Amino acid sequence: MHRVGSAGNNANSTRPRKEKRLTYVLNDSDDTQVNDTVIAGDNTLVSCSSDTTLKTWNCLSDGICTRTLRQHSDYVTCLAAAEKNTNVVASGGLGGEVFVWDIEAAVTPLSKSSDAMEDDCSNGINGSANSLPISSLRPISSSNSITAHTTQCHGYVPIAAKGHKESVYALEMNDSGSLLVSGGTEKVVRVWDPRTGSKTMKLKGHADNIRALLLDSTGRYCLSGSSDSMIRLWDLGQQRCVHSYAVHTDSVWALASTPTFSHVYSGGRDLSLYLTDLTTRESLLLCTKEHPILQLALHDDSIWVATTDSSIHRWPAEGQNPQKVFLRGGSFLAGNLSFSRARVSLEGSTPAPVYKEPIFTIPGTPAIVQHEILNDRRHVLTKDTAGSVKLWEITRGIVIKDYGQVSFDEKKEQLFEMVSIPAWYTVDTRLGSLSVHLDTPQCFSAEMYSADLDITGKPEDDKVNLARETLKGLLAHWMTKRRQILGSRASANGDVLSGKDITARSLAHSRIEVDGNAENDSMVYPPFEFSTVSPPSIITEGSQGGPWRKKITELNGTEDEKDFPWWVLDCVLNNRLPPRENTKCSFYLHPCEGSPVPILTQGKLSAPRILRIHKVVNYVIEKMVLDKPIDSVNTDGTFAPGLGGQLQHSAVGDGSFRSGLKHWQKLRPSVEILCNNQVLSSDMSLATVRAYVWKKPEDLILNYRVIQGR
């Protein structure tokens, strides 16, 4: 997902205002990617996600989210909890921020009324995290209304542990909650007092990102796993590394220790799970599978292994007596070399895994790892971790074709179309799902004819703005709910929002034009109807509070400009679009060299980018037939030489030529349009010709000729 900054604006800033973005997320399973979870207390689960939030859940209920906590500016990647101090949870993320939360205080409702709190809230954000206004903690649970909870103004603020300049990927806390360690892309282990957020030490030794951390129960020893393939054991009392273990041949992403901290289980990018005796340095390959290992959790005599394919596997593990596993043989001595040399040291003696298959597997939803936006800008081809290749229709949010496990590149070539449509959205798959980002005014640059979209009930030459119709489809449920709330009076005057709802302050930031080609209605055409079975989620923000996320079928109609970007509402409700660039294509239209046909125009012509070549053909025929006396036509049906009607600068409209001119239909000649000496297909658009045939920055030049004997 796109990194989302704070909702506040600095009033003294002179930078041009960047309009809020609207993102919608498509997913077969409708799940948000959870990056980490911890248990706080007896029945509270805390999760963190790439949507920049922490969520608290009641473990004893059926999936009820009790609070959404927002303080991070980017993906939240990791959590840590104090086992004995059950209310303390730490969070870290890609923004370089580390926060320490008192979960009980964070989720306790405040007695102050919602209205009073809103009045007291400030939208500004200053440099101190501890003075950050809690409007940024505005709840966005998909299980509750956006406005259901009170904004926590003048309430709880987490402690900020400041010092990281780059992304944080690993956190760990001792049992009492008096010690916190963190690591990330800075290649150092930082040690904190989580009660105050103050730094106590910094440990150097790793040569790459730190991805996993463990503390023993006393907080004396720390284990770290890194992308340099090494596992290091640190004595925090001595503030130094006392041992290093070269077990893996690639990045170490996960660690789990036995209760006595005598042995460590480790996994990572090399697809393998190892058990290592920290004293004797003896290591054993327990298992290896097809996917990298992300997380480990030791439970009694089993170890749970989470992998990048979203599955969780349960493997045997002698957690209470790990030495028993070494009796099976096959162990090796872990060196202290980096992985590049560790590979050499292990050549010819690759260990065999102890276990072949897991005891139990919980299959996950495969994440999308590759995507390609097709040229028609309505479809995206994806490939997931299971190897399945699928074709998505972006304007409906559904998979229209599952090709199975085929070559992604070959399928992409098969689906190639020579068509040019402006890039009206961007896509990323960092959540494991398709996230479609709409930014104004760029998103309103793409249009298609209704006939090309197979829309019935509209004239075939009507231009359809893809972003406008997509927004109508996304907000169809919201519109229905809003009409129900506002009642028949609002429906009768055709104005869903009153004038004061779209504030003059918002409108002043951008010039607006009315889309005269589209009706000011809420009708959703079939190519833009989103699924209600697997509805997409919207991620956006309005004039107040921070970003929020909600399924489109859970919008209740009360959301307004405080929740949505003003330009979205102005488009959907008032039929107003921002000024659009590059919707026209300028070109010259000349007869082919040596052709006896008349010169119809000596000036530059202008037409919509989406205009089809058959419309240009019709224009040529219309000028040749209607602008010439009938007696200038030879008996063989060709045109006598001569100068036809001239246009110094004309616009070729969508309806320049229409059928039904029966009195001269029999005189209609057969005309071809060429570019760069290539005959153009009648269904090509001017934009496509310019992109794939003309291929020059100068104005397009088209030539025409009459085909003899046809």
Side-chain angles (χ1 to χ4, degrees):
M1 187 186 304
H2 168 70
R3 174 173 175 166
V4 184
S6 69
N9 291 316
N10 188 338
N12 296 323
S13 175
T14 58
R15 293 180 298 176
R17 165 179 157 171
K18 181 175 176 60
E19 299 294 353
K20 302 293 196 302
R21 161 180 283 186
L22 184 135
T23 296
Y24 61 99
V25 182
L26 311 179
N27 197 329
D28 282 335
S29 63
D30 303 317
D31 291 330
T32 302
Q33 175 176 321
V34 173
N35 293 327
D36 203 0
T37 59
V38 293
I39 297 291
D42 296 327
N43 60 358
T44 300
L45 175 74
V46 183
S47 64
C48 68
S49 170
S50 297
D51 65 3
T52 76
T53 70
L54 281 72
K55 290 180 182 288
T56 60
W57 308 81
N58 187 339
C59 297
L60 304 180
S61 67
D62 186 17
I64 295 179
C65 176
T66 55
R67 182 68 73 182
T68 299
L69 306 175
R70 180 173 299 281
Q71 199 83 354
H72 287 269
S73 65
D74 209 328
Y75 294 12
V76 190
T77 55
C78 50
L79 299 173
E83 186 171 330
K84 294 180 180 178
N85 192 348
T86 56
N87 290 329
V88 180
V89 171
S91 61
L94 299 189
E97 302 139 328
V98 174
F99 295 112
V100 182
W101 305 79
D102 183 328
I103 294 300
E104 183 177 354
V107 302
T108 301
L110 302 180
S111 58
K112 196 171 185 180
S113 71
S114 176
D115 291 341
M117 293 177 64
E118 289 285 346
D119 291 341
D120 289 345
C121 283
S122 167
N123 286 326
I125 291 183
N126 55 34
S128 171
N130 285 350
S131 59
L132 188 68
I134 308 306
S135 58
S136 62
L137 298 182
R138 194 162 183 261
I140 61 171
S141 165
S142 61
S143 302
N144 300 286
S145 166
I146 291 175
T147 56
H149 295 300
T150 58
T151 306
Q152 296 183 347
C153 195
H154 302 305
Y156 176 75
V157 180
I159 296 172
K162 297 182 179 180
H164 279 283
K165 299 179 179 64
E166 299 177 13
S167 299
V168 177
Y169 281 98
L171 288 174
E172 181 71 348
M173 200 179 303
N174 67 343
D175 290 352
S176 64
S178 61
L179 188 69
L180 174 69
V181 290
S182 63
T185 56
E186 295 171 89
K187 309 173 189 177
V188 298
V189 177
R190 296 184 183 272
V191 185
W192 314 82
D193 183 342
R195 296 164 295 188
T196 62
S198 59
K199 293 179 287 187
T200 58
M201 68 183 79
K202 181 169 64 175
L203 305 172
K204 299 181 179 180
H206 281 294
D208 209 333
N209 302 346
I210 295 172
R211 299 298 300 267
L213 291 167
L214 287 178
L215 283 171
D216 74 336
S217 57
T218 66
R220 171 72 185 271
Y221 294 101
C222 173
L223 277 168
S224 59
S226 169
S227 295
D228 64 8
S229 83
M230 300 296 293
I231 300 171
R232 291 184 179 271
L233 178 65
W234 307 84
D235 186 323
L236 300 186
Q238 300 180 26
Q239 299 189 21
R240 68 182 185 93
C241 176
V242 292
H243 288 291
S244 57
Y245 306 88
V247 176
H248 292 265
T249 58
D250 211 328
S251 301
V252 182
W253 288 351
L255 299 172
S257 72
T258 56
T260 59
F261 218 68
S262 61
H263 295 72
V264 63
Y265 297 85
S266 58
R269 193 173 180 177
D270 60 4
L271 322 178
S272 302
L273 175 65
Y274 287 93
L275 172 64
T276 302
D277 187 320
L278 295 177
T279 303
T280 66
R281 309 180 66 85
E282 194 176 9
S283 291
L284 191 64
L285 175 62
L286 295 181
C287 62
T288 184
K289 293 295 283 184
E290 297 85 8
H291 301 283
I293 294 172
L294 291 175
Q295 294 273 12
L296 297 173
L298 188 64
H299 182 69
D300 294 334
D301 287 334
S302 299
I303 187 166
W304 294 90
V305 179
T307 55
T308 56
D309 68 340
S310 302
S311 298
I312 300 175
H313 308 278
R314 180 185 175 192
W315 293 87
E318 298 289 345
Q320 300 300 321
N321 188 9
Q323 206 58 40
K324 289 173 59 177
V325 185
F326 287 94
L327 299 178
R328 296 172 176 257
S331 63
F332 63 94
L333 193 64
N336 57 4
L337 308 175
S338 64
F339 74 87
S340 59
R341 297 176 64 190
R343 286 195 183 99
V344 177
S345 67
L346 291 174
E347 279 184 1
S349 58
T350 303
V354 175
Y355 306 111
K356 302 297 184 183
E357 295 296 332
I359 302 171
F360 180 71
T361 294
I362 303 174
T365 302
I368 296 174
V369 293
Q370 192 174 1
H371 73 276
E372 181 76 18
I373 299 175
L374 302 190
N375 285 356
D376 66 3
R377 301 290 175 181
R378 291 180 58 221
H379 298 93
V380 174
L381 191 68
T382 64
K383 181 179 180 179
D384 60 30
T385 52
S388 293
V389 177
K390 299 178 181 179
L391 184 63
W392 294 76
E393 188 169 353
I394 291 299
T395 56
R396 289 198 293 159
I398 59 172
V399 174
I400 59 173
K401 186 70 174 180
D402 187 342
Y403 299 104
Q405 295 181 341
V406 300
S407 168
F408 181 85
D409 291 333
E410 289 180 6
K411 183 56 64 177
K412 182 175 67 174
E413 291 180 9
Q414 293 172 11
L415 295 174
F416 172 80
E417 287 184 90
M418 190 182 292
V419 61
S420 178
I421 304 290
W424 60 282
Y425 63 87
T426 57
V427 165
D428 73 57
T429 56
R430 289 178 290 177
L431 290 175
S433 311
L434 278 181
S435 295
V436 184
H437 307 298
L438 300 179
D439 293 287
T440 188
Q442 302 94 311
C443 68
F444 295 109
S445 61
E447 295 177 327
M448 292 181 67
Y449 289 120
S450 58
D452 296 328
L453 291 166
D454 296 323
I455 296 176
T456 58
K458 285 176 70 71
E460 64 176 19
D461 291 331
D462 272 12
K463 294 195 290 290
V464 176
N465 189 284
L466 299 185
R468 179 182 185 273
E469 300 305 320
T470 299
L471 289 171
K472 283 169 54 180
L474 287 169
L475 298 182
H477 177 83
W478 173 79
M479 289 283 286
T480 299
K481 291 290 187 180
R482 191 168 184 82
R483 280 196 298 269
Q484 293 172 357
I485 293 173
L486 298 181
S488 59
R489 180 183 60 82
S491 298
N493 62 28
D495 189 8
V496 181
L497 274 184
S498 64
K500 65 181 180 180
D501 288 329
I502 300 293
T503 64
R505 180 193 61 81
S506 295
L507 294 178
H509 286 281
S510 179
R511 295 175 297 131
I512 299 297
E513 64 181 29
V514 176
D515 183 3
N517 287 299
E519 301 87 357
N520 187 13
D521 59 31
S522 59
M523 178 184 294
V524 177
Y525 300 108
F528 304 94
E529 291 178 343
F530 284 85
S531 169
T532 56
V533 177
S534 299
S537 297
I538 285 179
I539 303 174
T540 191
E541 60 180 311
S543 61
Q544 297 183 18
W548 53 270
R549 175 177 181 141
K550 206 171 186 69
K551 292 180 181 179
I552 60 173
T553 52
E554 293 175 351
L555 298 171
N556 59 21
T558 63
E559 302 85 1
D560 54 23
E561 80 278 1
K562 295 190 297 295
D563 307 295
F564 287 114
W566 71 272
W567 59 267
V568 171
L569 298 180
D570 212 35
C571 167
V572 173
L573 300 175
N574 301 331
N575 195 32
R576 291 193 287 204
L577 305 182
R580 287 157 286 167
E581 298 179 357
N582 301 323
T583 60
K584 298 285 187 179
C585 179
S586 297
F587 64 98
Y588 293 94
L589 188 60
H590 301 316
C592 289
E593 186 176 354
S595 173
V597 296
I599 298 174
L600 302 180
T601 174
Q602 294 179 335
K604 186 188 298 184
L605 300 174
S606 176
R609 286 171 44 91
I610 61 175
L611 190 81
R612 302 290 187 184
I613 291 300
H614 76 82
K615 295 288 187 181
V616 181
V617 170
N618 289 344
Y619 174 81
V620 171
I621 294 173
E622 182 176 341
K623 297 299 295 180
M624 292 173 68
V625 174
L626 297 186
D627 286 6
K628 293 289 292 180
I630 295 298
D631 56 12
S632 67
V633 181
N634 294 333
T635 55
D636 61 358
T638 62
F639 283 78
L643 186 64
Q646 298 183 6
L647 295 176
Q648 295 304 315
H649 186 87
S650 301
V652 181
D654 304 328
S656 296
F657 174 87
R658 298 183 185 274
S659 59
L661 301 176
K662 302 298 183 183
H663 64 285
W664 60 270
Q665 188 75 28
K666 60 183 180 180
L667 301 176
R668 176 184 176 113
S670 183
V671 172
E672 286 182 335
I673 304 296
L674 297 86
C675 180
N676 279 347
N677 296 318
Q678 177 180 328
V679 178
L680 303 178
S681 170
S682 62
D683 62 354
M684 293 179 74
S685 69
L686 292 177
T688 301
V689 174
R690 185 180 183 90
Y692 292 99
V693 182
W694 182 243
K695 300 179 182 178
K696 300 175 185 177
E698 296 85 7
D699 287 330
L700 181 65
I701 298 178
L702 300 180
N703 301 106
Y704 58 92
R705 68 187 180 194
V706 173
I707 306 173
Q708 301 294 331
R710 286 176 57 182

